Structures are given as structure tokens and as C-alpha cells.
């Protein structure tokens, strides 16, 4: 039996959560929605999948069912004890980077961190809304964590002998974010510091 | 480019008083307050840990693992720099210090 990565297992599980409650024939309907042959979709939508759900296919399935982006990666609430959903965060970072390319203004570091947080939370706004300061305290804290995570990643990347691909950098960013967020949760932000520099 | 060697040397230099400083009587003779003494002792131990950790990180071959370890190391240095600047160098290249969350 084929072994799947953690993210693949999550996608299969989330897809089954969509299909299972629906009447018999949902896999056939899914195939129609995707414009694919039922034999093909059955390979990843069946109860015992033999094919992984690629990132592109995951986005197509979400679109076909009218679901929010990253639904198949699990929700922001699907976090392990006090941490974040790293798979979802990695994708949020990737999509936030893409978003930056289509803006009519040069985002500052805080705005970039807000893109990441909003993709992660599934609350992406219009580009002009990011010109207004974040008002949600929870998100503002996550943005602070994102800023520090970015700072630490930049420090690590600036060291000799570190040549990571953009995908690897996104993974590391997500891991650093998770570590910081876990610490923040455990310490209640007791050492939160606002620097004036 | 970060000149880590310079930072390491500075950490070592700022914490390299005569080892007799560990002798409380000797420290008191130097008119060091007990609180200063304990702070110095703690800082010195932390500085030693940072340097040892750094040496260990240099031996990590996996780049992703090394990058992650480096991020933790830099975070520790940030915290030390902010909380006890007299013992640890300020990291000059920090650009995004606003709203910096330091959690330990």
C-alpha cells in the first residue's frame, strides 16, 4: 500500500469528510465537476486512495465545491496543542508571496506578515484594506509573530552555506512561526516587547 | 552578510572577566554588588551556552535543519541583547524591530 505524506493524508481525510455525508454517487459527481473520468477521481477520492491529491487538484476541488481556499489542508483551527497548522501556514506563505506580485504598491514588512496571517486564517481582504492598520488583537499578535519569524529566517538565510529553495524557505518560515506561536501561547506573551527603534 | 565571528568574539569578550569573579568575596572586594555578580554569572553561563550551541550548529549538514537551528540561535541572541545589553552585542542588522515579540 502506498505511503502518503502528512499533507496528503489530511487532504484525503478532508475530501472524505465532504463526500461521506453525501448520497451515493458523489464520487461520480465530483468527477463531473472536475471534468475528469470517475476512474481517475476514484483513485484519490475513494475510501482507500492510491493517488495523492496534488496542490493544483486540491484547489480545483475546493473551487468545484465552492469551498474556501486551503479547506483541504485543514482549517486554521486544526492545530495541534497551542500550535498552528504548519501545512496550511506553508501554503499561506506561498500564496501571500504570490499576492505581493499583483499589488499596485510596495508592501512593507508588516503588510507582508498580514497577508500571510490572512491567508492562513482564510480572511484575505482587498489590497487597499491592508493600508489600514490591523484592528483585530488576535491577528495583530500573529502579525507580530510573523514579523519576528521573517526576521529570524532572514538572519539564518544570510549565513554562509545556507542556500534554500523558495519552497524550503516557506517551510522553515512556517516552522519558525509555529515555534514562536507555541511559545507565545505557553507564556501568554509575558515577554512581549515593543521596541522603539 | 552577517559576520558571525565578530558577534561570537564580542559575546566572549564581554563575558570574559577573570575567572576569580566567581569568588563572591573577591567580587565584593571589587565593590561588585551581589545582584550584579549573579547577573554576570548568569550572563556568562548563557554566553558560554550560545557559543557552544553555535559550534554545534556549524556541524549540522542538513541545510534545512541548520537554518531552523540558526533561527533559534538568533532568537536567543536577540533576547539576550534586549534584556542584558551590557553582556551581549546589539545586533546591528535588525531592521524590523517594531512590534518585536520576544518569547522565551
Amino acid at each position: 500500500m502506498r505511503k502518503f505524506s502528512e499533507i496528503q493524508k489530511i487532504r484525503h481525510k478532508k475530501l472524505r469528510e465532504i463526500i461521506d455525508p453525501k448520497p451515493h454517487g458523489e464520487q461520480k459527481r465530483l468527477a463531473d465537476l472536475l471534468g475528469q473520468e470517475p476512474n481517475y477521481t476514484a483513485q484519490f477520492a475513494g475510501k482507500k486512495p492510491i493517488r495523492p491529491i496534488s496542490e493544483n487538484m486540491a484547489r480545483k476541488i475546493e473551487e468545484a465545491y465552492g469551498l474556501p481556499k486551503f479547506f483541504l489542508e485543514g482549517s486554521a483551527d486544526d492545530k495541534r496543542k497551542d500550535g498552528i497548522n504548519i501545512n496550511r501556514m506553508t501554503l499561506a506563505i506561498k500564496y501571500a508571496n504570490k499576492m505581493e506580485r499583483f499589488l499596485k504598491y510596495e508592501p512593507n514588512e508588516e503588510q507582508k506578515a498580514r497577508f500571510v496571517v490572512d491567508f492562513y486564517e482564510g480572511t484575505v481582504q482587498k489590497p487597499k484594506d491592508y493600508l489600514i492598520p490591523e484592528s483585530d488583537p488576535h491577528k495583530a499578535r500573529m502579525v507580530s509573530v510573523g514579523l519576528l519569524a521573517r526576521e529570524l529566517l532572514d538572519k539564518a538565510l544570510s549565513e554562509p552555506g545556507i542556500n534554500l529553495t523558495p519552497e524550503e524557505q516557506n517551510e522553515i518560515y512556517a516552522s519558525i512561526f509555529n515555534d514562536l506561536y507555541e511559545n507565545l501561547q505557553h507564556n501568554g506573551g509575558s515577554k512581549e516587547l515593543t521596541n522603539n527603534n | 552578510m552577517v559576520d558571525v565571528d565578530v558577534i561570537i568574539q564580542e559575546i566572549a569578550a564581554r563575558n570574559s572577566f577573570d575567572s576569580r569573579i566567581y569568588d563572591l568575596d573577591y567580587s565584593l572586594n571589587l565593590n561588585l554588588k551581589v545582584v550584579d555578580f549573579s547577573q554576570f554569572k548568569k550572563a556568562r553561563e548563557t554566553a558560554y551556552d550560545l557559543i557552544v550551541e553555535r559550534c554545534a550548529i556549524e556541524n549540522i549538514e542538513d541545510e534545512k535543519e541548520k537554518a531552523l537551528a540558526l533561527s533559534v540561535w538568533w532568537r536567543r541572541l536577540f533576547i539576550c541583547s534586549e534584556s542584558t545589553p551590557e553582556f551581549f552585542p546589539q545586533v546591528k542588522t535588525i531592521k524590523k524591530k517594531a512590534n518585536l515579540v520576544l518569547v522565551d
Side-chain angles (χ1 to χ4, degrees), chain A:
Chain A
M1 191 175 166
R2 182 164 179 176
K3 283 195 174 182
F4 293 110
S5 66
E6 203 57 38
I7 183 70
Q8 293 300 340
K9 288 179 192 167
I10 292 170
R11 284 177 185 152
H12 286 139
K13 179 169 168 273
K14 298 299 280 189
L15 181 55
R16 287 309 307 179
E17 283 175 12
I18 299 169
I19 292 173
D20 283 341
K22 296 189 186 293
H24 185 71
E26 188 57 26
Q27 276 190 54
K28 167 77 171 61
R29 185 170 163 260
L30 173 64
D32 292 343
L33 287 171
L34 296 172
Q36 300 282 354
E37 290 297 319
N39 285 348
Y40 174 73
T41 52
Q43 291 176 27
F44 59 77
K47 287 186 178 172
K48 290 182 178 173
I50 56 171
R51 176 183 282 274
I53 300 174
S54 70
E55 196 185 322
N56 282 343
M57 183 55 76
R59 301 292 84 80
K60 283 180 187 171
I61 293 169
E62 287 158 359
E63 201 178 331
Y65 277 117
L67 296 166
K69 201 172 265 186
F70 307 145
F71 181 89
L72 289 183
E73 273 74 36
S75 73
D77 294 329
D78 288 345
K79 57 193 176 190
R80 55 187 171 80
K81 193 184 170 190
D82 290 335
I84 59 166
N85 179 337
I86 291 188
N87 291 317
R88 190 181 168 93
M89 178 55 77
T90 306
L91 280 169
I93 294 163
K94 180 180 173 181
Y95 278 80
N97 290 342
K98 281 187 181 176
M99 181 177 171
E100 287 174 26
R101 293 182 214 149
F102 298 103
L103 295 175
K104 289 179 180 171
Y105 57 88
E106 181 67 32
N108 60 30
E109 295 303 327
E110 186 175 2
Q111 285 161 340
K112 288 178 186 176
R114 284 177 65 190
F115 301 154
V116 170
V117 171
D118 275 354
F119 269 108
Y120 178 75
E121 296 276 341
T123 55
V124 181
Q125 305 168 61
K126 290 175 184 167
K128 65 181 173 65
D129 293 334
Y130 290 95
L131 300 172
I132 305 162
E134 179 61 68
S135 56
D136 180 337
H138 166 69
K139 278 196 198 171
R141 280 165 74 83
M142 285 190 79
V143 168
S144 297
V145 171
L147 276 170
L148 182 56
R150 183 76 239 181
E151 175 91 45
L152 293 168
L153 176 66
D154 287 348
K155 277 286 177 199
L157 294 178
S158 68
E159 298 244 2
I162 302 290
N163 299 300
L164 301 177
T165 63
E167 288 75 25
E168 289 172 332
Q169 290 180 24
N170 291 347
E171 286 175 32
I172 300 289
Y173 184 1
S175 294
I176 297 172
F177 195 116
N178 183 53
D179 288 348
L180 293 173
Y181 190 75
E182 277 184 350
N183 274 305
L184 190 65
Q185 295 300 94
H186 288 143
N187 294 310
S190 59
K191 285 198 175 183
E192 197 163 315
L193 176 88
T194 301
N195 196 299
N196 294 325
N197 289 351

Side-chain angles (χ1 to χ4, degrees), chain B residues 9-66:
Chain B
Q9 283 167 20
E10 198 173 337
I11 294 172
R14 289 189 186 207
N15 293 277
S16 64
F17 283 94
D18 190 314
S19 60
R20 282 179 298 169
I21 199 93
Y22 280 113
D23 180 341
L24 187 55
D25 290 335
Y26 174 77
S27 306
L28 292 174
N29 285 337
L30 291 178
N31 293 324
L32 274 178
K33 293 176 188 169
V34 174
V35 63
D36 293 337
F37 169 75
S38 62
Q39 193 186 19
F40 171 72
K41 192 176 170 188
K42 191 178 170 194
R44 187 173 165 146
E45 284 167 2
T46 307
Y48 180 74
D49 285 349
L50 272 173
I51 294 170
V52 170
E53 269 175 33
R54 183 70 208 200
C55 292
I57 289 170
E58 291 304 322
N59 290 323
I60 298 176
E61 288 182 2
D62 183 281
E63 276 191 47
K64 280 170 73 177
E65 198 183 321
K66 188 173 180 178

